Amino acid sequence: MKVVIGCDHGGFELKEVLSAHLKDKGFDVVDVGTYDTNSVDYPDIAQKACEEVTSGRCEWGVLICGTGIGISIAANKVNGIRCALVSNEYSAEMTKRHNNANMVAFGGRVTGPDLAKHILDAYVGAEFEGGRHEKRIEKISALEG
């Protein structure tokens, strides 16, 4: 399975950890940057990563900035993206099961690497339940302009 990962300078270290973690689990990881800690604008990275998902080249993605807030807001401006900022395993599992989120965001300055790996594993291990949640996803999609 091909997944995309991207970050700004505030998420670079965590991106490196999560990218390696995904590769260890057998995922084909597309890294859209950034590739060091030099300052970049998170909306640019979010756009690149989201295009990988909306085009179908990647099935889902991971975004990281300092808090995860800015990059998740930017991602959610892209039609077809449902990005959840996750900070615990339960939220990560439920965003896949109930919201069918196709992107998850982390705060590189607020979530430690070990916890982030556990959170990502919870997301990866969950499956969308469909059913009553499907109509809610359709209503979310209808909000897109």
Side-chain angles (χ1 to χ4, degrees):
M1 178 183 301
K2 191 179 276 193
V3 301
V4 63
I5 194 166
C7 69
D8 74 353
H9 51 281
F12 174 72
E13 287 86 6
L14 186 57
K15 181 196 72 154
E16 295 297 294
V17 169
L18 293 181
S19 181
H21 183 68
L22 288 166
K23 289 175 184 175
D24 288 346
K25 295 203 165 280
F27 290 96
D28 182 6
V29 178
V30 175
D31 185 340
V32 296
T34 193
Y35 307 108
D36 56 38
T37 57
N38 292 321
S39 183
V40 297
D41 296 330
Y42 57 78
D44 298 334
I45 300 297
Q47 182 179 13
K48 287 180 190 178
C50 290
E51 286 174 358
E52 292 296 316
V53 173
T54 59
S55 71
R57 291 187 295 269
C58 292
E59 292 191 37
W60 54 272
V62 176
L63 294 170
I64 310 158
C65 69
T67 63
I69 297 168
I71 204 161
S72 65
I73 291 171
N76 280 313
K77 297 293 184 180
V78 177
N79 284 347
I81 295 298
R82 289 177 308 283
C83 181
L85 172 56
V86 292
S87 59
N88 61 70
E89 294 168 67
Y90 181 74
S91 295
E93 176 186 347
M94 297 311 289
T95 200
K96 178 64 102 35
R97 290 177 58 193
H98 289 186
N99 310 122
N100 202 20
N102 52 12
M103 303 284 282
V104 288
F106 291 87
R109 294 179 177 147
V110 296
T111 305
D114 289 334
L115 177 57
K117 288 190 277 188
H118 290 294
I119 293 168
L120 186 54
D121 288 345
Y123 172 81
V124 169
E127 293 186 26
F128 180 53
E129 292 178 5
R132 71 182 191 272
H133 304 292
E134 187 63 45
K135 76 175 182 176
R136 295 170 185 157
I137 301 304
E138 290 170 5
K139 287 182 177 188
I140 290 171
S141 295
L143 295 172
E144 296 174 346

